[in-house]
Amino acid sequence: MSIQHQISVPFTMGTSSDYNAHVAYHTHFHYEVYYFHGGKVNYLINDRIYVLEPGDLLLMHGMTLHRAHVDPEVKYHRSTLHFDPFYFKQFIQPPFAADLLEPFRKLQNVRLQLRGSEKTEVEAVINRLELHYAQKDSFSTQRFQAQLLDFMILINQLCQKPMKEKSTFPSSKQLHVQAIISYLDSHYQEEITLESIQTELHLSKFYLAKTFKEVTGSTIFQFLMQRRIYQAKIELIDGDQSITDVGYEVGFKHPSHFSRAFKLHTDLTPEQYRKQNQLHSVPAE
């Protein structure tokens, strides 16, 4: 089941060595910084798979379908920061500074592979953020926001460097799953079967189904449903098409099926989702 996370505060910070295996693909309107300390994780962001290594820093921009598929046999440790970009821009970023949210908007979703002194510095900043966040007094809140400003400046500095990222897929299985995800992302509006994917990729449909489940933790058609619901959310927020037309556009053959599936994955009907989120929409800059 897809989850749309919402936060009622300007920012949240957390670190954990535990993982709920049932966390599904999800989206949210706030920005996310995810730092990977250790474990064995395949992280899916839209149509990309990242095989994470300690020191990896992920920047994610708003409505991005993502999910960590964690090997429960290996100790998992990550830190996450979620923040409201509009709050940051209005109350934290100084007026004389460059746009510190530019990496999130321009790169949208990116992995920075930090090593050596960069890794040490980012971990120290994250530790200070977590320390101030845990204290609920007003001075600690102010220090958290000041540290957050410094963190965004550091992230901008790191993003200026050329990112010649090499593939870190350890086997052909991840490459094949990447190909499946890319195919689903390009054809989600169409009728898709295992046979059509088999024909496209020239691999056995049984191998494809088994490998996709092994690498991502979900079935091909669960992922396809998440992709369609994700796109429907965007269309419902940004567009003015009828609910029926949105359903057809994202690949549902029948309006009733679209409504049932959307409510199952979001706990809201398409009409309720559009009304709730358009009320809070912010014009693009």
Side-chain angles (χ1 to χ4, degrees):
M1 180 176 294
S2 177
I3 303 169
Q4 183 192 320
H5 293 288
Q6 298 189 35
I7 54 175
S8 57
V9 292
F11 37 73
T12 62
M13 184 84 196
T15 185
S16 176
S17 297
D18 300 320
Y19 185 75
N20 181 349
H22 299 294
V23 172
Y25 294 97
H26 60 277
T27 61
H28 41 65
F29 289 108
H30 45 280
Y31 289 179
E32 178 174 350
V33 179
Y34 172 107
Y35 183 77
F36 182 63
H37 296 276
K40 187 175 180 181
V41 176
N42 292 336
Y43 207 106
L44 282 74
I45 306 178
N46 277 350
D47 66 342
R48 293 291 308 277
I49 303 173
Y50 297 100
V51 181
L52 297 187
E53 300 173 11
D56 284 358
L57 185 74
L58 303 180
L59 310 181
M60 288 177 278
H61 172 277
M63 291 289 285
T64 301
L65 196 65
H66 58 280
R67 177 176 187 260
H69 178 52
V70 178
D71 183 342
E73 300 300 318
V74 181
K75 185 178 179 181
Y76 175 58
H77 183 198
R78 60 97 177 99
S79 296
T80 56
L81 166 67
H82 300 91
F83 67 96
D84 182 337
F86 305 107
Y87 181 93
F88 178 87
K89 192 164 186 178
Q90 185 172 0
F91 296 109
I92 299 179
Q93 175 166 304
F96 56 81
D99 182 4
L100 296 176
L101 299 183
E102 187 176 30
F104 293 88
R105 288 207 321 274
K106 281 197 171 180
L107 301 175
Q108 297 206 346
N109 309 295
V110 65
R111 172 176 62 175
L112 303 176
Q113 294 187 286
L114 309 178
R115 305 296 182 263
S117 61
E118 291 179 344
K119 179 175 181 288
T120 300
E121 182 177 9
V122 165
E123 289 182 353
V125 172
I126 288 174
N127 286 338
R128 287 195 294 271
L129 282 166
E130 291 172 348
L131 177 65
H132 297 318
Y133 185 77
Q135 308 298 318
K136 299 304 181 183
D137 61 277
S138 61
F139 286 110
S140 294
T141 299
Q142 292 176 56
R143 294 186 69 185
F144 177 90
Q145 295 191 51
Q147 189 67 68
L148 177 58
L149 172 60
D150 182 65
F151 193 28
M152 289 300 112
I153 295 172
L154 175 58
I155 284 173
N156 273 257
Q157 183 180 355
L158 294 170
C159 287
Q160 297 303 310
K161 298 184 177 183
M163 290 181 288
K164 297 178 180 179
E165 182 181 314
K166 64 179 181 179
S167 174
T168 56
F169 297 120
S171 71
S172 61
K173 287 184 177 182
Q174 279 75 29
L175 290 171
H176 292 153
V177 171
Q178 178 71 66
I180 296 170
I181 292 175
S182 296
Y183 178 80
L184 296 177
D185 197 55
S186 299
H187 298 275
Y188 68 87
Q189 297 167 303
E190 307 166 14
E191 182 176 359
I192 293 178
T193 64
L194 284 177
E195 287 74 18
S196 66
I197 301 174
Q198 174 179 262
T199 300
E200 176 72 18
L201 301 184
H202 307 291
L203 292 166
S204 159
K205 64 182 181 181
F206 303 108
Y207 167 81
L208 292 172
K210 179 177 181 294
T211 300
F212 194 92
K213 176 72 173 179
E214 179 183 331
V215 171
T216 70
S218 72
T219 70
I220 290 174
F221 292 102
Q222 285 171 336
F223 182 90
L224 175 61
M225 180 63 73
Q226 304 298 340
R227 182 63 182 90
R228 287 171 170 166
I229 297 297
Y230 165 65
Q231 190 64 35
K233 289 178 179 180
I234 295 174
E235 299 295 336
L236 290 168
I237 294 170
D238 294 337
D240 56 4
Q241 297 183 84
S242 69
I243 301 297
T244 298
D245 286 344
V246 168
Y248 288 140
E249 184 170 317
V250 301
F252 289 91
K253 289 186 174 182
H254 304 289
S256 59
H257 182 207
F258 172 51
S259 292
R260 286 196 305 270
F262 193 92
K263 185 167 185 180
L264 178 64
H265 287 79
T266 67
D267 293 326
L268 297 171
T269 66
E271 294 85 350
Q272 290 169 333
Y273 184 87
R274 167 174 275 175
K275 182 177 180 181
Q276 176 176 308
N277 289 289
Q278 281 191 329
L279 286 174
H280 296 89
S281 63
V282 178
E285 296 178 358

